[in-house]
Amino acid sequence: AQSVTQLDSQVPVFEEAPVELRCNYSSSVSVYLFWYVQYPNQGLQLLLKYLSGSTLVKGINGFEAEFNKSQTSFHLRKPSVHISDTAEYFCAVSVTQGAQKLVFGQGTRLTINP
Amino acid sequence: EPEVTQTPSHQVTQMGQEVILRCVPISNHLYFYWYRQILGQKVEFLVSFYNNEISEKSEIFDDQFSVERPDGSNFTLKIRSTKLEDSAMYFCASSVPSGRGNEQFFGPGTRLTVL
């Protein structure tokens, strides 16, 4: 079975500061890795995904994530955040075969202060 | 841009009543999913549906739950006899199989409140 741990439930940062949201996963088989964002009163939107190849993945809205197999991590980063980045961020994994259900972490609430 | 839609946005029901949550996936998608999120907890997988049958389900998805694709556009989740612990946000998602890392597109969710 797969599991995902997001180490921080809440992360407050000032506008234009850098941010890193941490994600660790556990799996005995190969997985794909995802970051989703949920803005207030909206559904989940894909930010980026890692399937294979380059370990640094770039996504929408200036976000990027780095896959580290030895540390089983997939941390999300942005060099300079904006007020509009205030949202809940979810890390997720899926196995590489079959229906590829997503297994989510607990989520990290990112709050941007002016 | 095509999107997944869900109705209603909020459903309030009495314990023991049946509810049907409705979803319209993106039209050319072939995989359909239901997830739920109890307040303050993580998003949990319930069931996936492909080729008119369940392809995978979680332990949560017991005999009280069922899914159906009654026509070419709707995908429904039925809870036969709701319990207080069924109160949650229910998300529908759909994807088109690409063979590698299917991106699942999520609807805005239905908030179910069981009294």
Side-chain angles (χ1 to χ4, degrees):
Chain A
Q2 293 73 46
S3 67
V4 178
T5 301
Q6 291 182 244
L7 298 165
D8 306 296
S9 59
Q10 295 187 62
V11 173
V13 296
F14 288 106
E15 195 172 15
E16 298 183 9
V19 69
E20 179 179 81
L21 305 184
R22 296 179 292 169
C23 172
N24 287 89
Y25 70 93
S26 173
S27 177
S28 58
V29 299
S30 296
V31 294
Y32 298 135
L33 296 151
F34 305 82
W35 275 98
Y36 279 84
V37 60
Q38 184 180 28
Y39 298 105
N41 301 314
Q42 294 187 29
L44 298 161
Q45 180 184 3
L46 182 68
L47 270 180
L48 47 79
K49 62 183 178 182
Y50 173 80
L51 306 181
S52 64
S54 173
T55 57
L56 184 63
V57 179
K58 294 189 183 300
I60 62 171
N61 300 340
F63 283 93
E64 63 181 32
E66 186 152 20
F67 169 60
N68 187 319
K69 188 173 182 179
S70 63
Q71 297 187 7
T72 60
S73 68
F74 191 54
H75 301 332
L76 180 71
R77 294 192 288 260
K78 186 170 182 178
S80 175
V81 296
H82 302 283
I83 293 285
S84 59
D85 293 323
T86 296
E88 187 97 17
Y89 291 80
F90 294 93
C91 182
V93 302
S94 76
V95 296
T96 59
Q97 302 295 327
Q100 299 178 4
K101 69 178 184 185
L102 292 168
V103 176
F104 286 89
Q106 295 275 16
T108 297
R109 182 168 298 279
L110 178 62
T111 304
I112 312 300
N113 299 307
Chain B
E1 185 176 331
E3 58 183 17
V4 177
T5 59
Q6 291 184 243
T7 55
S9 57
H10 192 186
Q11 173 91 47
V12 181
T13 189
Q14 295 291 325
M15 189 170 56
Q17 295 296 304
E18 174 183 286
V19 295
I20 297 176
L21 310 183
R22 303 181 192 279
C23 168
V24 178
I26 295 173
S27 62
N28 65 331
H29 285 188
L30 300 178
Y31 278 100
F32 312 110
Y33 309 81
W34 283 101
Y35 294 83
R36 79 172 186 188
Q37 185 181 28
I38 295 171
L39 188 63
Q41 298 186 25
K42 63 175 67 177
V43 178
E44 301 172 290
F45 168 77
L46 291 178
V47 65
S48 59
F49 192 84
Y50 172 71
N51 200 24
N52 284 320
E53 61 182 23
I54 290 173
S55 52
E56 188 173 357
K57 61 183 181 179
S58 71
E59 293 175 354
I60 303 168
F61 195 87
D62 60 22
D63 292 344
Q64 293 296 318
F65 292 87
S66 62
V67 289
E68 192 178 30
R69 188 156 163 80
D71 52 42
S73 60
N74 290 283
F75 180 53
T76 62
L77 174 69
K78 181 192 291 186
I79 309 175
R80 289 190 184 81
S81 178
T82 51
K83 303 187 282 284
L84 294 176
E85 53 265 38
D86 292 327
S87 293
M89 181 74 89
Y90 288 80
F91 293 105
C92 173
S94 68
S95 69
V96 56
S98 66
R100 298 178 73 240
N102 301 341
E103 176 180 350
Q104 294 182 26
F105 291 80
F106 283 79
T110 292
R111 182 168 297 283
L112 176 65
T113 302
V114 182
L115 303 176

